[in-house]
Amino acid sequence: LIDMYAKCQMLSNACKVLQELPCRNVVTWSTLIAGHAQQGHGQEALDCLVAMKSEGLSPNVVTFVCLLKACAGIRAIDKGKQIHDEILTRGFLEKNVMLGSALVDMYAKCGVLTRAQQVLEDLPLRNVVCWNALISGYAKHGGFHEALDCFDQMQSEGVSPDTVTFICILKACGKIGAYMDKGRQIHDDIVSRGLLQMDITVGTALVDMYIKCGALSQANKVLKDLPIRDVISWSALISGYAQQGLG
């Protein structure tokens, strides 16, 4: 019931159901915390943690993942660090890559990128999700060369990029004008994986990368070769021509 109300964006009803339960456990509380976090109510999610602990209940892995998402959403870095310490004390990072990814994502979204990278490097197991969290963080906060370094390191560890990785790394290439070497290599990799046939957002990111690098003829060619074009991909090309004075 709590989950249904939370997913239907009726959090007041979800709270009411939880309060009226004769017995509450970590699952019911985690469900409510997840609902608050998913709808951007980070402080309410953290308030639920306090209430849950007052009943003598301890968070589990799912609770911590949701709490870290809540911290990331409201940039509550101090609370995030407290939660990190509690996770380390309980030894959860040694067994759960999802939790590690959530921790990297929290630090990255709060702009504490050196800490995010340290957390990732300390993880016993790294997957594409945790790498994406770090690469995305660097790309968002202007660390474009660092994003490219992470991309190379990820692949050197045998982790294959996915569409999220490519979108973030194309943004980084566009920002630093690295299309002649890195951008073209990534383009070739995307084509070889057949991603342009499956995901229009990757195609749009590729068009945007070439535009930001001033390679408008290449951007035009990429767009024309896309199996599906939408208003976003066309707008990217139109914007590029307009910015170059090619009315």
Side-chain angles (χ1 to χ4, degrees), residues 55-69:
E55 295 184 358
L57 298 169
S58 295
N60 61 15
V61 169
V62 174
T63 324
F64 281 128
V65 168
C66 297
L67 289 168
L68 289 169
K69 181 176 182 179

Side-chain angles (χ1 to χ4, degrees), residues 106-132:
M106 184 274 294
Y107 280 119
K109 283 184 174 156
C110 289
V112 191
L113 290 158
T114 53
R115 190 73 182 271
Q117 182 151 2
Q118 186 61 57
V119 169
L120 183 137
E121 289 173 357
D122 290 342
L123 292 177
L125 180 64
R126 294 181 282 274
N127 64 7
V128 69
V129 178
C130 54
W131 276 110
N132 284 348

Side-chain angles (χ1 to χ4, degrees), residues 223-244:
L223 184 133
K224 294 291 176 63
D225 290 343
L226 292 178
I228 299 173
R229 294 176 285 276
D230 66 1
V231 68
I232 298 173
S233 51
W234 275 110
S235 294
L237 186 61
I238 289 167
S239 172
Y241 280 127
Q243 287 166 11
Q244 296 294 322

